Amino acid sequence: MLFTQKNYLYFKNISLSLNEIKSVLTYINNFNKGLKQNYFYQMFIEGVGYRFLSIDDQKLSLKVGFSNDVEYPLPEGVSGFLLSSNELFLYSYDYDLLKLTCSKIKKIRKPDVYKGKGVRYIDDVIRLKEIKK
């Protein structure tokens, strides 16, 4: 049971472990920080012919080596813009939603371990493997 009184939130008949309480408090803190100042992630795409095409009507268009362009619908609450054809800037008030969105965009074309081609975060370090000869 949940009820509020004078700017307080009360829970009754709910038993949570200490780890669950910590995770709920962390989520509330992150949400509160996001309302004050948005969270952001910067993504980079690398490879010959790979590029971000546009962000129109909450849809991100990418060209990542498939026969057709890939369109990824951005969830409500996540916005972004293109810094260049290789750099994408995403921001949101919800940290978990932003992180999930960025990871799904990265899964469209993961960075290759041999050539380094693909979508990655701007601060990711890719250690390239040596090609067998």
Side-chain angles (χ1 to χ4, degrees):
M1 179 178 286
L2 170 73
F3 63 93
T4 60
Q5 183 181 20
K6 291 188 179 180
N7 297 328
Y8 288 98
L9 186 66
Y10 295 98
F11 295 101
K12 276 192 171 181
N13 299 330
I14 295 177
S15 62
L16 298 174
S17 69
L18 186 60
N19 288 337
E20 291 170 336
I21 291 170
K22 286 180 181 179
S23 66
V24 168
L25 289 176
T26 302
Y27 182 78
I28 290 171
N29 274 341
N30 285 343
F31 192 77
N32 191 22
K33 284 180 192 175
L35 290 176
K36 291 178 184 174
Q37 178 180 348
N38 283 336
Y39 293 103
F40 65 90
Y41 266 99
Q42 195 169 352
M43 300 188 81
F44 184 75
I45 193 165
E46 190 171 349
V48 177
Y50 289 17
R51 61 184 177 268
F52 296 111
L53 297 175
S54 65
I55 296 181
D56 295 327
D57 299 328
Q58 290 295 96
K59 283 192 178 182
L60 172 66
S61 298
L62 306 113
K63 188 174 207 101
V64 286
F66 298 119
S67 60
N68 295 328
D69 298 340
V70 177
E71 287 193 358
Y72 180 78
L74 294 176
E76 196 167 318
V78 176
S79 301
F81 56 89
L82 298 177
L83 297 173
S84 69
S85 63
N86 291 343
E87 291 186 49
L88 173 68
F89 190 85
L90 294 173
Y91 59 93
S92 175
Y93 61 87
D94 189 356
Y95 179 74
D96 294 330
L97 181 64
L98 180 65
K99 186 80 172 168
L100 180 68
T101 303
C102 288
S103 67
K104 285 183 179 180
I105 291 172
K106 188 176 177 180
K107 278 185 183 178
I108 292 173
R109 181 63 88 170
K110 290 183 183 177
D112 184 26
V113 294
Y114 294 103
K115 294 184 180 180
K117 300 188 319 182
V119 180
R120 60 185 172 91
Y121 302 122
I122 200 78
D123 57 350
D124 274 354
V125 176
I126 308 236
R127 298 178 69 199
L128 300 179
K129 290 185 176 181
E130 186 176 330
I131 300 173
K132 292 183 180 181
K133 295 178 182 180

